[in-house]
Amino acid sequence: MQSYTIGQAARLLAVSPDTVRRWADAGRVVTRRDEAGRRMIDGRDLAAFSVEVGQGGHAEDREPYTSARNAFPGIVTAVRLGEVSAQVDIQAGPHRLVSLLTREAVEELGLEVGMRATARVKSTSVHIDRD
């Protein structure tokens, strides 16, 4: 299973490393020390925590996302395989992205819960609502 440093987790959650450290110190996310003494977060734990953060709307230290290049780096939180198709969920900071693709593509990419992945969006029609 892939593990993440505090800095890597911070980038995936779109918060500062200090915020992730505070969350770890408060017991909100479990960390362990690697051989070098760095605090590490298990990929599955980070995936579950990223969903919690995304749903909870924790805005402290969060940088805004931009549509530049339409890339959303995040962590895979779910993979559902069918006979021919598949569904992959990615939590990119506060954003949950769901992609429907072929089972073959998921297998070729080796996608599994807890892995880093980037969702890239291309659309011919984008709707914007004013808050």
Side-chain angles (χ1 to χ4, degrees):
M1 170 53 55
Q2 188 164 357
S3 295
Y4 298 89
T5 65
I6 294 289
Q8 291 170 327
R11 283 189 292 282
L12 292 170
L13 296 168
V15 298
S16 73
D18 286 337
T19 297
V20 177
R21 281 188 205 94
R22 283 193 303 273
W23 287 340
D25 292 343
R28 291 192 59 203
V29 63
V30 177
T31 62
R32 62 173 173 73
R33 299 275 180 181
D34 69 1
E35 313 79 45
R38 297 177 303 177
R39 292 170 82 173
M40 304 296 291
I41 302 171
D42 178 76
R44 288 192 181 272
D45 291 338
L46 184 58
F49 184 67
S50 70
V51 171
E52 176 190 324
V53 169
Q55 292 171 345
H58 300 282
E60 63 180 295
D61 298 330
R62 184 172 289 154
E63 295 180 23
Y65 273 85
T66 176
S67 63
R69 295 185 308 275
N70 299 320
F72 297 87
I75 187 168
V76 176
T77 58
V79 176
R80 295 172 194 83
L81 297 174
E83 287 287 320
V84 176
S85 62
Q87 177 180 320
V88 176
D89 294 16
I90 294 176
Q91 191 73 36
H95 308 289
R96 176 179 172 250
L97 297 115
V98 178
S99 179
L100 302 177
L101 58 165
T102 65
R103 178 186 181 117
E104 180 181 17
V106 170
E107 290 170 347
E108 284 179 9
L109 291 169
L111 295 176
E112 60 183 44
V113 171
M115 291 182 71
R116 284 183 295 182
T118 299
R120 298 197 185 274
V121 180
K122 180 178 179 182
S123 178
T124 57
S125 177
V126 175
H127 299 265
I128 300 173
D129 294 336
R130 181 175 167 202
D131 289 338

